[in-house]
Amino acid sequence: MEILRKLYEMTAFGSLIANPGPLLMLVIAAILLYLGIKKQYEPLLLIPIAFGVILANLPGGQMSVNPGEFIQLDGLKHLNVTPEGKEVLIDMEHRYLNLFEIAHEYGIMNFLYYMLIKTGLLPPIIFMGVGALTDFGPMLRNLRLSLFGAAAQLGIFTVLLVAIAFNFTPQEAGSLAIIGGADGPTAIYTTIKLAPHLLGPIAIAAYSYMALVPVIIPLVVKLTCSKKELKINMKEMDKLYPPKHKIKNLRAVKIAFPIVLGIVIAFFVPTAVPLLGMLLFGNLVKEVGSTTLRLSEAASGPIMNAATIFLGLTVGATMTSEVFLDVKTIGIIVGGFFAFAISVFGGIAAVKIYNLLAKKKINPLIGATGLSAVPMASRVANEVAVKYDPKNHVLQYCMASNISGVIGSAVAAGVLISFLGG
Amino acid sequence: MDQNFNLALQLMGVGMITVFFILFFIIILGNVIIRFVNRFIPEASVVVTSSVKKVSTTIDPKIMAAIVSAVKTVTGGKGNVVKIEKESK
């Protein structure tokens, strides 16, 4: 009998019966794995996140990420000797265990989390890869469509207001609201800076809604646009009202653009520089061409892939039952959807207002793609346009507002971090 | 609560204005770069070498220009297309 009791204590069954929360988390992980593997909803992120959730919730596995308080050295005093030989006690407030101590005390997942996530390293690294995959060409050819990328940030700031009304702190509300930017790395970066304890649910919500772009955009478009509006043919409009300037040397423009833009943004919104600076650097090495081909291939290939793996696993590992099974998670899931939908509506509304004032009409689908989610949002919008008129291909126009949406959401994140960051 | 709500309202105003301002500025900046490049460094037209024309007369000139342009881009202007022929099966 004693042997059986010891065996029972050795296994994880005892702790699972006492606290069944991890079992529920394993079910949630299984659902996420199903969505990633079978439904192919953002599989590159959802599968590592889901597996991170599994690892974190295996009892006794020591793979869950511990909150910041565990590694803080607050309250300790350090004896320091001044150059004059005086002994001074220095308060150790805001000092932390070093990475070796974290690995030794709390295991490798905490080491990875505090080294790669808490420092804010991985989202800019991923942005570098995104930059190396981004073509600013469609945006440069249709520059004025960039404004709709600004209008589509409306969801972020609207949900910020609503979340505060629902008792989220301003920092938590800012992290939740940024889901409306439809940009995974931006959402994660903002949350790391403002409310790291919500990282897991916010990352899940952001990537889930990005995967649901093919459902959300057509839904909002159907509710807000008429058939006549959706049949507006952008190429016909271009023939009727041709652009003033044709680009004579697109390659030179594409090389100059990230350099100049990076410098200008650094002056206006310095907090957006870690994200946008890396995005623009990645884009520059892509546009330079063959001489930096190895760099752009590394940025968009091995580096981005490795970053994605560690980002997914560590974010997943933050989702223990104590953190995830909370009323705020439901608020994040619901609020994230509204942030997303209102952002799509914001872009559409801006197009409608523009069409009231301008002769050259714009298809509202171009406004709907003003959020990030590149290039899926544009592809979905193009499919909607072709459904109403098989000859009306709006992809390259949507890409213009879609790419500007990436910049817009990073700027919005910069504003939130500037005002709400500690 | 009221204080937080006021902060959120303030952020909404500041945030939307900043995002619009930055993207509006990008439009101006983009146009300035385009005008500058058009004026000072307009692209030299792609010249298809005569040797290629002579050898592969059956290939569409547009396709040939695309191949020459691709080789030029990948090799950083150092590579030359000398001959294009279809692979015999």
Side-chain angles (χ1 to χ4, degrees):
Chain A
M1 198 61 192
E2 183 65 18
I3 292 172
L4 284 176
R5 194 183 62 80
K6 279 189 176 174
L7 267 175
Y8 178 75
E9 281 174 359
M10 187 189 78
T11 61
F13 295 112
S15 64
L16 278 179
I17 289 167
N19 172 26
L23 280 179
L24 193 55
M25 291 309 296
L26 293 179
V27 173
I28 290 169
I31 294 168
L32 293 175
L33 279 175
Y34 171 77
L35 292 175
I37 297 169
K38 183 76 178 169
K39 296 282 180 183
Q40 299 195 343
Y41 286 175
E42 294 282 338
L44 293 177
L45 243 305
L46 275 195
I47 292 171
I49 289 177
F51 210 82
V53 176
I54 290 176
L55 291 175
N57 288 281
L58 294 175
Q62 287 200 320
M63 291 290 268
S64 62
V65 170
N66 292 313
E69 303 89 68
F70 281 71
I71 62 154
Q72 262 180 335
L73 296 172
D74 286 358
L76 293 181
K77 304 271 184 189
H78 174 69
L79 187 68
N80 201 18
V81 181
T82 62
E84 294 82 36
K86 281 184 182 174
E87 289 185 345
V88 183
L89 273 177
I90 295 174
D91 200 352
M92 295 284 277
E93 200 183 356
H94 301 306
R95 299 292 179 95
Y96 301 92
L97 294 177
N98 65 41
L99 286 172
F100 176 77
E101 289 166 330
I102 290 171
H104 184 258
E105 291 280 327
Y106 301 110
I108 54 160
M109 196 57 92
N110 282 280
F111 171 80
L112 288 172
Y113 175 79
Y114 283 103
M115 181 177 67
L116 302 174
I117 302 288
K118 190 72 177 170
T119 53
L121 175 69
L122 287 188
I125 294 286
I126 291 180
F127 249 58
M128 179 175 71
V130 172
L133 292 169
T134 301
D135 180 9
F136 280 119
M139 185 179 150
L140 288 164
R141 279 189 286 264
N142 300 284
L143 270 168
R144 76 206 152 83
L145 299 182
S146 305
L147 274 185
F148 304 118
Q153 309 308 320
L154 183 69
I156 295 176
F157 296 104
T158 310
V159 168
L160 175 78
L161 268 175
V162 178
I164 282 176
F166 278 89
N167 281 332
F168 279 82
T169 66
Q171 287 74 18
E172 289 172 342
S175 301
L176 158 59
I178 200 69
I179 295 173
D183 195 312
T186 304
I188 289 172
Y189 186 78
T190 310
T191 309
I192 291 166
K193 297 286 176 193
L194 299 181
H197 58 287
L198 297 181
L199 189 56
I202 283 175
I204 291 283
Y207 280 103
S208 300
Y209 291 132
M210 279 166 67
L212 288 175
V213 158
V215 178
I216 297 173
I217 289 182
L219 177 75
V220 179
V221 165
K222 202 175 175 182
L223 290 173
T224 54
C225 301
S226 66
K227 277 185 184 177
K228 191 185 166 193
E229 285 173 319
L230 294 172
K231 282 184 178 176
I232 293 173
N233 191 311
M234 295 299 292
K235 282 181 186 157
E236 292 296 324
M237 285 291 157
D238 269 352
K239 279 180 195 166
L240 284 173
Y241 308 98
K244 282 179 189 169
H245 308 288
K246 280 200 168 181
I247 305 173
K248 290 180 184 169
N249 186 349
L250 186 59
R251 184 169 177 262
V253 174
K254 281 180 172 181
I255 290 173
F257 186 69
I259 301 169
V260 179
L261 184 61
I263 294 167
V264 167
I265 284 183
F267 285 122
F268 288 105
V269 196
T271 40
V273 170
L275 288 176
L276 281 178
M278 294 300 273
L279 177 97
L280 295 170
F281 168 72
N283 186 256
L284 177 66
V285 291
K286 173 197 169 254
E287 295 303 345
V288 168
S290 58
T291 46
T292 51
L293 186 66
R294 283 166 55 193
L295 300 186
S296 66
E297 281 180 348
S300 60
I303 293 175
M304 191 175 170
N305 292 342
T308 306
I309 288 173
F310 289 120
L311 184 84
L313 280 175
T314 45
V315 165
T318 63
M319 287 171 53
T320 54
S321 55
E322 295 84 19
V323 172
F324 194 79
L325 302 177
D326 188 86
V327 183
K328 278 191 175 161
T329 303
I330 298 167
I332 289 166
I333 303 289
V334 176
F337 174 80
F338 280 107
F340 221 96
I342 294 169
S343 286
V344 175
F345 171 73
I348 291 171
V351 171
K352 284 177 179 258
I353 293 167
Y354 180 91
N355 283 348
L356 285 176
L357 306 169
K359 279 183 187 171
K360 188 177 181 177
K361 305 295 179 199
I362 289 171
N363 193 312
L365 285 164
I366 285 133
T369 53
L371 30 76
S372 298
V374 181
M376 199 202 283
S378 296
R379 280 208 299 263
V380 169
N382 191 56
E383 279 169 24
V384 175
V386 170
K387 210 165 78 181
Y388 286 90
D389 175 5
K391 288 179 185 170
N392 192 11
H393 292 277
V394 294
L395 185 68
Q396 62 162 321
Y397 301 98
C398 289
M399 281 299 286
S401 63
N402 211 178
I403 294 164
S404 69
V406 177
I407 299 171
S409 60
V411 170
V415 172
L416 290 175
I417 293 167
S418 299
F419 275 75
L420 303 174
Chain B
M1 174 72 182
D2 278 349
Q3 201 182 345
N4 287 344
F5 206 74
N6 284 339
L7 174 68
L9 270 175
Q10 192 189 342
L11 259 176
M12 190 177 198
V14 173
M16 285 308 286
I17 289 169
T18 308
V19 176
F20 266 104
F21 172 76
I22 293 287
L23 284 167
F24 186 71
F25 198 77
I26 286 172
I27 295 174
I28 294 169
L29 200 69
N31 277 318
V32 169
I33 294 171
I34 290 168
R35 284 184 190 198
F36 180 86
V37 169
N38 281 356
R39 184 159 182 191
F40 296 106
I41 32 177
E43 192 176 31
S45 57
V46 177
V47 181
V48 179
T49 56
S50 56
S51 60
V52 177
K53 273 183 180 172
K54 279 176 195 168
V55 176
S56 47
T57 48
T58 54
I59 291 175
D60 185 333
K62 283 182 185 173
I63 294 173
M64 200 161 9
I67 293 168
V68 171
S69 171
V71 170
K72 189 183 158 195
T73 307
V74 171
T75 61
K78 290 173 188 166
N80 249 335
V81 178
V82 180
K83 191 178 181 183
I84 301 171
E85 58 184 4
K86 284 187 178 173
E87 201 177 21
S88 56
K89 289 182 181 174

